[in-house]
């Protein structure tokens, strides 16, 4: 049967879809179809983080079901003629529709409720994907038989199938993900799942279950194969709380191990909501080190971290290693200690600021990004002002900002009131968006324009057109940059390029390609992590000398 898979939500979902694709394709009965209308099984991988994420999915499901009723398709993929229906086949026709399946966080949160109004036939939570082939065949037994048998078969068919079991140990470690764009030069590698933090606004612990980490060997092997065999130049280590990674079975014979038993794994002023931490094994810093050891030409990033798990060893590793990107996501959520307390984030504004100061000292050229929620339960105008002032202080390089949306099952849902009116939430949201935009523009003009950046070329820019073709890529700091494709320098996706930044528009940079490079070459010239490039063009620093030399050569 042909399946079609659409993914909503975060990068974890994109990565889970790669697992689902692999599981379904391993089952000989299935093949993947990019065209929705041609598929027999329509799968939607869903997000439950905010109400509007869920509304999008409900709309899609209704649309799919409507399209289905108007255009029934036989389960084996042959189009059924609408006008040809007769009384005898009425019962069968009920099954001659496509299977509409809901995967992921919404499936887990709403369980059987997702069957409401006949919108879905199949509901599978994030830890139950291995069960997909069985569930699908329960809904649609192989019906290559003739019409007479169909009637009997339809009786044994299930009308609905569900598995929303969460697991303590499922990491899909042995399943080789099938990426939707196998030519991409960047790839995500899943390292852990679930969340133990229990922030009071967040549904994720309920949709994705407890934290569990994948064994380090299998992660390093997957990353090595991507680098060595699939032209991948950048690996992003992925997990809901990626930096609380802990492979308890880790054995120091294979890799270096930084943490010893009883080691303090969090920073001062940050508490772990979940007490069962510590002990032997590999921690996140060990993992980053092992993946960055694969090759000095492989870039390593990670997402999505929690600020509580940035121990000094991790920060120094990031500063030391040229191939570990200088970008830290530090989701603050709020700048007010009282809101942070209600959110159960485990830190105060002061502890957060101390950590930011440390990070900037240890990794001078670092980009810092964050997530923010406005209008959380009881948020006063003063508390909101504290968020604005934190943003002013930190000068974020990127921020993801949301209006609070109350979710069932969470601590806030049980014990607080969603009392900030919608119009105030959106006004505050607009204010933080504005302050972020103004600051990032200023910051990029000050910190980026005039600098030489090592860019990993990802492909042609979406704006690229005949006559003015442009490459797009990202800098070490994870900033998008576009630059014209020159005729005299050969370049392809997956190459590193030295680009002179000459313009900043919001958080997208523009530049001019100087030369194709290797990461090591760039660093040997002293242009990498440790070198403080001056952005003052009157000041003849090494980069500007180099630049003049290169400009003459072009
Ligand atoms: N309402 C609004 N935003 C939320 N986030 C998580 N839960 C909620 C919610 N209930 C935001 C947080 C998180 C990001 C992924 O989504 O900022 O870091
Ligand atoms: Fe959405 Fe969170 Fe689930 Fe990702 S883990 S899909 S952000 S609810």
């Amino acid at each position: 049967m042909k399946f079609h898979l659409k993914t909503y939500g975060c990068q974890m979902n994109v990565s889970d879809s790669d697992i689902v694709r692999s599981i379904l394709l391993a089952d000989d009965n299935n093949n993947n179809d990019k065209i929705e209308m041609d598929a027999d099984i329509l799968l939607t991988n869903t997000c439950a983080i905010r109400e509007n994420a869920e509304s999008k999915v409900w709309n899609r499901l209704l649309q799919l079901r409507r399209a289905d009723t108007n255009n029934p398709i036989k389960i084996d993929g042959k189009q059924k003629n609408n006008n040809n229906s007769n009384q005898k086949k009425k019962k069968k026709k009920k099954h001659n529709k496509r299977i509409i399946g809901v995967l992921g966080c919404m499936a887990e949160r709403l369980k059987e409720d997702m069957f409401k109004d006949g919108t879905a036939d199949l509901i599978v939570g994030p830890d139950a994907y291995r069960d997909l082939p069985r569930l699908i065949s329960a809904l649609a037994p192989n019906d290559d038989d003739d019409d007479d048998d169909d009637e009997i078969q339809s009786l044994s068919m299930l009308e609905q199938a569900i598995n929303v079991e969460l697991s303590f140990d499922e990491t899909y470690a042995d399943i080789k993900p099938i990426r939707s764009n196998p030519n991409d030069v960047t790839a995500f590698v899943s390292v852990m799942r679930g969340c133990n933090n229990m922030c009071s606004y967040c549904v994720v612990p309920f949709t994705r279950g407890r934290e569990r980490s994948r064994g380090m060997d299998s992660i390093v092997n997957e990353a090595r194969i991507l680098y060595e065999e699939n032209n991948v130049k950048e690996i992003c280590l992925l997990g809901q709380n990626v930096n609380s990674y802990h492979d308890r079975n880790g054995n120091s014979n294979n890799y270096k191990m930084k943490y010893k038993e009883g080691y303090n794994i969090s920073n001062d002023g940050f508490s772990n909501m979940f007490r069962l931490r510590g002990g032997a094994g590999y921690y996140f810093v060990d993992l980053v080190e092992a993946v960055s050891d694969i090759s000095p030409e492989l870039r390593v990033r990670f997402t999505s971290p929690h600020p509580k798990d940035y121990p000094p060893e991790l920060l120094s590793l990031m500063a030391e290693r040229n191939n570990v990107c200088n970008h830290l996501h530090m989701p603050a959520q709020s700048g007010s200690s009282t809101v942070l307390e209600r959110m159960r984030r485990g830190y105060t504004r002061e502890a957060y600021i101390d950590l930011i100061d440390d990070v900037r000292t240890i990794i001078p050229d670092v980009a810092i990004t964050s997530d923010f929620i406005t209008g959380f339960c009881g948020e006063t105008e003063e508390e909101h002002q504290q968020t604005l002032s934190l943003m002013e202080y930190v000068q974020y390089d990127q921020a993801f900002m949301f209006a609070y949306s109350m979710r069932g099952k969470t601590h806030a849902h049980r014990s607080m009131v969603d009392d900030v009116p919608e119009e105030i939430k959106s006004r505050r949201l607009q204010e933080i968006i504005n302050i972020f935009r103004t600051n990032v523009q200023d910051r990029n003009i000050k910190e980026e324009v005039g600098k030489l950046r090592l860019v990993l070329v990802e492909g042609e820019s979406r704006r690229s057109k005949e006559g003015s073709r442009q490459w797009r890529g990202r800098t070490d700091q994870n900033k998008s940059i576009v630059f014209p494709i020159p005729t005299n320098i050969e370049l392809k996706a997956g190459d590193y390029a030295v680009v002179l930044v000459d313009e900043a528009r919001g958080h997208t940079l523009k530049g001019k390609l100087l030369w194709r490079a290797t990461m090591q070459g760039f660093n040997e010239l002293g242009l990498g992590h440790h070198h403080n490039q001056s952005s003052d063009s009157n000041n003849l620093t090494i980069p500007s000398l180099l630049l003049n030399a290169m400009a003459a050569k072009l």
Side-chain angles (χ1 to χ4, degrees):
M1 293 210 289
K2 288 191 259 177
F3 68 90
H4 176 272
L5 180 54
K6 183 169 168 88
T7 309
Y8 289 90
C10 64
Q11 201 52 56
M12 269 321 275
N13 265 16
V14 176
S15 161
D16 280 2
S17 286
D18 295 351
I19 299 282
V20 167
R21 202 171 287 116
S22 177
I23 291 173
L24 290 178
L25 291 174
D27 183 15
D28 287 342
N29 294 321
N30 301 308
N31 51 63
N32 198 355
D33 206 309
K34 301 247 173 200
I35 304 162
E36 195 171 278
M37 272 324 281
D38 288 352
D40 312 301
I41 308 170
L42 296 164
L43 300 172
T44 309
N45 198 354
T46 61
C47 175
I49 197 123
R50 283 170 290 273
E51 200 170 311
N52 56 10
E54 291 198 354
S55 326
K56 271 193 232 157
V57 172
W58 281 119
N59 287 340
R60 170 176 164 81
L61 295 176
L62 286 169
Q63 236 174 27
L64 290 179
R65 190 54 99 206
R66 219 172 287 136
D68 233 32
T69 327
N70 297 338
N71 186 23
I73 287 182
K74 204 171 175 329
I75 234 86
D76 66 2
K78 273 180 237 144
Q79 185 84 27
K80 191 174 178 225
N81 188 342
N82 250 339
N83 309 325
N84 205 12
S85 56
N86 58 38
Q87 287 302 315
K88 193 179 144 248
K89 290 190 177 163
K90 204 170 174 197
K91 188 166 184 185
K92 201 182 102 199
K93 189 179 164 190
K94 211 170 158 195
H95 299 285
N96 278 347
K97 61 185 185 186
R98 297 177 297 178
I99 296 175
I100 296 184
V102 181
L103 314 180
C105 292
M106 228 175 131
E108 193 62 52
R109 190 178 94 76
L110 294 168
K111 305 190 166 61
E112 285 85 359
D113 292 351
M114 287 282 352
F115 289 130
K116 200 178 78 180
D117 301 332
T119 40
D121 313 301
L122 171 69
I123 295 173
V124 188
D127 286 348
Y129 296 143
R130 287 182 202 267
D131 201 20
L132 266 167
R134 186 189 68 86
L135 295 167
I136 287 173
S137 58
L139 284 170
N142 262 343
D143 72 344
D144 41 12
D145 333 83
D146 57 27
D147 268 7
D148 294 340
D149 283 353
D150 274 3
E151 198 116 6
I152 304 157
Q153 278 230 336
S154 67
L155 295 172
S156 64
M157 277 182 199
L158 282 183
E159 300 253 328
Q160 295 175 335
I162 180 165
N163 186 344
V164 286
E165 203 74 11
L166 282 175
S167 155
F168 287 103
D169 55 11
E170 179 62 274
T171 58
Y172 300 111
D174 56 318
I175 293 176
K176 188 177 184 295
I178 299 184
R179 297 185 292 153
S180 63
N181 294 315
N183 296 327
D184 281 356
V185 297
T186 61
F188 289 88
V189 174
S190 165
V191 309
M192 59 82 70
R193 301 174 72 82
C195 176
N196 289 346
N197 287 331
M198 295 289 175
C199 300
S200 61
Y201 52 83
C202 191
V203 76
V204 171
F206 306 96
T207 62
R208 292 214 163 241
R210 302 296 93 221
E211 275 178 21
R212 65 222 96 127
S213 293
R214 174 178 174 187
M216 198 144 110
D217 285 330
S218 97
I219 298 169
V220 175
N221 285 340
E222 184 176 324
R224 180 174 292 117
I225 290 171
L226 285 166
Y227 176 72
E228 287 173 359
E229 296 172 21
N230 299 87
N231 195 34
V232 165
K233 296 293 162 54
E234 182 182 297
I235 297 281
C236 185
L237 304 171
L238 184 66
Q240 241 99 37
N241 270 295
V242 71
N243 52 345
S244 58
Y245 176 83
H246 184 195
D247 173 6
R248 283 168 215 283
N249 304 320
N251 171 344
S252 60
N253 293 336
N254 298 345
Y255 304 99
K256 279 173 258 173
M257 194 183 272
K258 283 223 164 44
Y259 288 108
K260 302 288 168 258
E261 194 130 4
Y263 205 93
N264 182 14
I265 47 176
S266 291
N267 302 69
D268 290 346
F270 288 76
S271 64
N272 270 296
M273 282 291 151
F274 195 73
R275 281 173 226 289
L276 277 178
R277 296 219 38 205
Y282 294 126
Y283 284 88
F284 189 62
V285 63
D286 304 316
L287 177 66
V288 174
E289 181 162 357
V291 175
S292 75
D293 275 340
I294 291 174
S295 162
E297 293 298 317
L298 173 69
R299 260 188 184 177
V300 185
R301 299 186 187 279
F302 52 88
T303 199
S304 166
H306 190 289
K308 74 180 161 61
D309 290 313
Y310 280 122
E313 285 74 9
L314 178 59
L315 299 178
S316 341
L317 183 82
M318 293 178 71
E320 278 159 27
R321 297 258 164 148
N322 288 318
N323 65 337
V324 180
C325 289
N326 279 355
H327 165 217
L328 285 185
H329 190 52
M330 295 269 198
Q333 312 298 358
S334 167
S336 148
S337 293
T338 41
V339 172
L340 289 168
E341 198 179 338
R342 295 203 290 284
M343 286 179 165
R344 299 193 160 182
R345 287 290 288 173
Y347 54 86
T348 58
R349 173 191 173 92
E350 291 69 34
Y352 180 89
I353 287 180
D354 283 350
L355 178 58
I356 296 277
D357 291 345
D358 284 352
V359 164
R360 287 244 156 91
T361 314
I362 300 170
I363 318 171
D365 206 15
V366 70
I368 296 179
T369 61
S370 182
D371 295 350
F372 288 98
I373 299 175
T374 60
F376 183 61
C377 305
E379 188 188 65
T380 63
E381 208 52 43
E382 292 72 51
E383 288 170 333
H384 166 62
Q385 290 299 325
Q386 291 271 294
T387 299
L388 295 175
S389 98
L390 180 71
M391 296 181 85
E392 202 60 74
Y393 180 81
V394 179
Q395 302 277 310
Y396 289 101
D397 293 277
Q398 175 64 284
F400 303 94
M401 297 158 279
F402 313 98
Y404 175 61
S405 159
M406 175 76 97
R407 313 309 288 139
K409 281 198 184 168
T410 57
H411 176 74
H413 186 254
R414 276 180 274 124
S415 62
M416 294 177 211
V417 185
D418 182 11
D419 54 0
V420 178
E422 283 312 310
E423 61 281 9
I424 294 187
K425 278 184 194 170
S426 41
R427 192 254 302 152
R428 289 180 186 167
L429 179 60
Q430 201 50 56
E431 283 175 14
I432 66 170
I433 291 174
N434 291 345
I435 204 160
F436 162 68
R437 287 203 179 138
T438 315
N439 288 345
V440 78
Q441 178 73 50
D442 294 351
R443 180 167 165 79
N444 281 340
I445 288 172
K446 196 162 138 261
E447 299 293 330
E448 299 290 339
V449 174
K451 281 215 177 124
L452 298 181
R453 291 300 194 193
L454 186 73
V455 173
L456 174 62
V457 180
E458 294 180 353
E460 271 197 45
S461 150
R462 257 180 290 144
R463 300 238 176 85
S464 188
K465 50 179 185 286
E466 215 37 59
S468 68
R469 290 178 57 218
Q470 296 209 312
W471 286 118
R472 94 189 125 75
R474 268 172 311 132
T475 67
D476 194 323
Q477 286 74 10
N478 208 27
K479 304 209 173 187
S480 294
I481 183 160
V482 294
F483 54 92
I485 300 182
T487 46
N488 57 341
I489 305 176
E490 231 180 85
L491 207 57
K492 59 183 184 323
D495 286 342
Y496 289 105
V498 178
V499 178
L500 170 64
V501 182
D502 55 20
E503 202 185 322
R505 281 232 190 106
H507 46 80
T508 301
L509 308 176
K510 287 187 175 180
K512 185 166 164 237
L513 171 68
L514 297 185
W515 70 93
R516 196 180 59 211
T518 61
M519 203 185 313
Q520 287 172 97
F522 183 72
N523 292 309
E524 276 160 18
L525 286 173
L527 298 168
H529 281 190
H530 300 292
H531 193 85
N532 253 334
Q533 294 179 33
S534 167
S535 44
D536 176 357
S537 53
N538 294 323
N539 188 354
L540 279 189
T541 55
I542 301 173
S544 56
L545 282 171
L546 253 170
L547 219 131
N548 290 339
M550 290 317 298
K553 210 177 123 191
L554 283 176

